[in-house]
Every structure is written in structure tokens, then in C-alpha cells.
Amino acid sequence: MTTAGRVLRYSARNLLRSWWVPGYALLFLLLTETLLRFGGGGPRAVASLLNAVLILIPLVSVIMGTLFLSGSREFILLLLAQPVGRRSLFTGLYFGVALPLAGAFLAGVGLPVLARSGAGLGLAGLTFAVTGVLLTLVFTALAFFAAARFEDRAKALGTALLGWFAATVLYDGLVLVVVAGFSDWPLETPMLVLTLLNPVDLARVL
């Protein structure tokens, strides 16, 4: 097994021992079950669940990623003192956090859907699942950047949360300001570019 694989297995096992990942999966299971049962089912349930996903997945990813990497700093420094490549080490750490979170999301959403033989979701359900996984990967990367940039855990977490707030709340407000300020100009291309620059907006469009 490669170094990245060993670190990934250690990180994933360490993360799964906490209550965060099972609780995360249980949260999505309850949300999905409730919306499928009382929200009209099918694509309508996906549309309703999307609003929660666009907030919860980035938030949990930045918190878990930052806390995990900040808490593993001594372990990381110990490994870096050994003949271990930085790329292999951080690849294993990253996927050791991102994959359990993505798996918890898929399990929480997928089990209620499978229990209803697909619930008639089809392509909408598949797109929704892929979108959730991609958001997990993106915001876990943001968390790792913040945790690697700042040694102080509070600063790292604050930076990661600021990035989450900017992507999920502030960015849309700035886009509305641009639309209102330049309403007399053709904005189709600039709006498309602005949408592509924000993973949360891109997920919403998908």
C-alpha cells in the first residue's frame, strides 16, 4: 500500500470513530425521509433538499476539515520528519476526510431513496448526488488550505468559515448589486462567468 493510502486509511478510521460522521449521515437521512414522505416526493423533494444541502455540506466540510487538520498538526510534523513525500501525505489526509463526509452524505440521502425503489428521481437524483460529493471535495479543500495557512486553530476556522459565508451568502448579494448597477448593459456573459466562479451557485444551477 502506498503512503497516501496508509494515511488515507488512518485518517478515515480516526474520523469515523467520532460521532460527527454518523450524525451527519443521520441528519441527511432524516431530512430526505421527511421530504420524500411529506414533501411531494420525486424531483420536488430534491429541489427542497437542495436548499439545505447548499448550506450544510459546505459548512460541515469546512468545519470538519479545519478541525481535523489543525488537530493533526503534531502527527503531520512527525511524518514530515520522516522520508515521506508531502504530496502523498496531504493527498491521504485530504481524501481521508473528504471521502467519509461524501460517503455519509450519499448514505443519508441514498438509503431513503433506495427504500422507495428510486422514488422516481432518475437523472435529478443522480445529479443531486454528484453535486453533493463535488461540494464536499471543494469545501474540504478550502478547509485544508485555511488549516495549513494558519497555525492557530481559531484563525484557521475563522478563515474557513469566512470562505463558506462568502460563497453561500455574500457572493449572491454581490451578484445582485452587479445586476442592479449595470442593468442597462448586456449581462448574460458576465453573469455566466460569475456563476461558474462560485461552486455553490454552479451546484444550484445544476
Side-chain angles (χ1 to χ4, degrees):
M1 183 180 292
T2 63
T3 300
R6 292 191 183 96
V7 175
L8 189 157
R9 186 175 63 177
Y10 166 80
S11 302
R13 185 183 301 169
N14 193 31
L15 190 63
L16 289 171
R17 287 175 181 170
S18 70
W19 60 269
W20 275 89
V21 175
Y24 185 54
L26 180 61
L27 174 62
F28 276 113
L29 190 148
L30 293 175
L31 281 174
T32 306
E33 177 66 25
T34 301
L35 289 172
L36 287 175
R37 186 180 297 270
F38 303 109
R44 185 179 299 177
V46 171
S48 300
L49 188 59
L50 179 64
N51 294 321
V53 162
L54 292 178
I55 299 296
L56 285 175
I57 287 183
L59 179 60
V60 173
S61 297
V62 297
I63 292 176
M64 287 298 299
T66 305
L67 293 181
F68 179 84
L69 196 65
S70 296
S72 303
R73 185 170 294 275
E74 293 183 359
F75 170 72
I76 294 171
L77 292 175
L78 176 63
L79 287 182
L80 288 176
Q82 311 301 318
V84 175
R86 290 174 179 266
R87 184 182 300 273
S88 297
L89 173 60
F90 283 101
T91 298
L93 288 170
Y94 169 73
F95 285 105
V97 175
L99 293 183
L101 291 178
F105 161 72
L106 291 176
V109 171
L111 289 176
V113 172
L114 292 176
R116 290 171 170 77
S117 300
L121 295 180
L123 183 59
L126 178 61
T127 305
F128 176 76
V130 172
T131 298
V133 171
L134 292 178
L135 282 175
T136 302
L137 296 177
V138 169
F139 282 91
T140 302
L142 171 64
F144 269 53
F145 171 78
R149 178 66 179 82
F150 298 101
E151 291 188 13
D152 183 70
R153 180 180 295 188
K155 289 183 178 179
L157 185 58
T159 302
L161 288 175
L162 182 61
W164 164 80
F165 180 77
T168 56
V169 179
L170 186 61
Y171 193 88
D172 288 339
L174 293 176
V175 170
L176 290 176
V177 170
V178 171
V179 172
F182 298 91
S183 57
D184 296 333
W185 296 76
L187 293 176
E188 290 82 1
T189 300
M191 288 298 297
L192 179 61
V193 173
L194 288 174
T195 300
L196 293 175
L197 290 176
N198 185 2
V200 175
D201 280 348
L202 187 57
R204 185 181 293 114
V205 171
L206 288 174

